[in-house]
């Protein structure tokens, strides 16, 4: 169950980062502008660009993001069931976040370019499918932000999570999307 919790959390955090980069800041924003905001925004202009990236370019930024999670996982004492569950959650979360952009890339590639096992996982909705992700790529690009599995897209959109989060960011930080 800790592996599944990590997978669901990865989907949520992928959506949170995607939403934040799509809606706030600029390409010049310190620390995140060049490496996160710019690729997300460019992706709406040229959704197929990700399909031309090699493994490192596709997954490099996400691998760096997983380092703090892996550090936290190694600090968890494994002397109890809760400790083992927590360690497994952090490790699972890091693993799935590492693969998120790869899953995203496969949701933009031609079916003939996607490994057969991934096609099967897309069909059974374990990995985000092309059809599922295309919902986000319709203007105004304000829904279906989660890009690991996409499992959380429907429920988060149904409760208007992103517009409520935007309103909260505006109130707390006086930041306009």
């Amino acid at each position: 169950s800790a592996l599944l919790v990590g997978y669901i959390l990865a989907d949520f955090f992928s959506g949170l980062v995607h939403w934040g980069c799509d809606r706030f800041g600029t390409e010049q924003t310190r620390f995140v502008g060049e490496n996160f905001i710019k690729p997300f925004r460019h992706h709406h202009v040229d959704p197929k660009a990700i399909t031309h990236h090699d493994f490192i370019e596709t997954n490099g930024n996400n691998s760096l993001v997983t380092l703090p999670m892996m550090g936290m996982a190694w600090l968890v004492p494994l002397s109890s069931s809760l400790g083992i569950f927590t360690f497994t959650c952090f490790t699972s979360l890091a693993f799935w976040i590492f693969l998120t952009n790869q899953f995203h890339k496969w949701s933009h590639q031609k079916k003939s370019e996607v490994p057969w096992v991934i096609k099967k996982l897309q069909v059974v909705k374990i990995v985000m499918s092309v059809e599922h992700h295309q919902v986000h790529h319709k203007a105004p690009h304000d829904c279906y932000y989660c890009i690991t599995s996409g499992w959380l897209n429907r429920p988060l959109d149904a409760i208007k999570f992103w517009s409520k989060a935007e309103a909260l960011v505006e109130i707390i930080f006086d930041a306009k999307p």
Side-chain angles (χ1 to χ4, degrees):
S1 64
L3 296 173
L4 180 60
V5 170
Y7 195 54
I8 292 168
L9 285 172
D11 198 41
F12 177 73
F13 286 123
S14 75
L16 199 60
V17 170
H18 188 176
W19 164 79
C21 289
D22 273 7
R23 303 295 291 162
F24 295 97
T26 69
E27 294 176 10
Q28 290 74 39
T29 300
R30 196 172 356 165
F31 303 119
V32 296
E34 185 66 28
N35 290 319
F36 292 95
I37 294 173
K38 182 178 180 180
F40 274 107
R41 303 240 174 115
H42 178 70
H43 182 66
H44 290 173
V45 175
D46 184 4
K48 292 288 185 188
I50 192 172
T51 66
H52 305 294
H53 299 169
D54 64 19
F55 185 82
I56 300 297
E57 189 174 1
T58 300
N59 302 295
N61 288 336
N62 279 21
S63 67
L64 293 175
V65 169
T66 66
L67 293 176
M69 285 170 261
M70 293 304 296
M72 289 187 289
W74 290 107
L75 294 174
V76 174
L78 299 177
S79 56
S80 68
S81 300
L82 179 60
I84 293 168
F85 182 86
T86 304
F87 172 83
T88 306
C89 270
F90 276 128
T91 305
S92 173
L93 174 61
F95 178 74
W96 297 118
I97 284 179
F98 169 72
L99 287 175
T100 291
N101 276 349
Q102 189 63 52
F103 291 174
H104 185 208
K105 179 179 178 176
W106 286 325
S107 77
H108 284 281
Q109 285 182 300
K110 296 176 191 167
K111 291 203 185 272
S112 62
E113 299 172 338
V114 177
W116 70 269
V117 70
I118 300 304
K119 283 188 253 188
K120 298 286 185 199
L121 292 172
Q122 287 174 328
V123 168
V124 296
K125 300 182 182 350
I126 301 295
V127 173
M128 184 176 59
S129 70
V130 173
E131 298 78 19
H132 183 91
H133 186 52
Q134 286 309 306
V135 174
H136 175 72
H137 280 280
K138 292 183 177 110
H141 312 285
D142 63 352
C143 63
Y144 276 50
Y145 289 105
C146 300
I147 57 173
T148 303
S149 65
W151 292 351
L152 295 178
N153 283 324
R154 283 186 185 97
L156 291 175
D157 285 357
I159 64 169
K160 301 187 182 326
F161 178 84
W162 304 114
S163 59
K164 291 174 183 174
E166 243 171 58
L168 189 61
V169 168
E170 285 188 55
I171 290 167
I172 294 172
F173 299 105
D174 194 32
K176 302 265 187 236

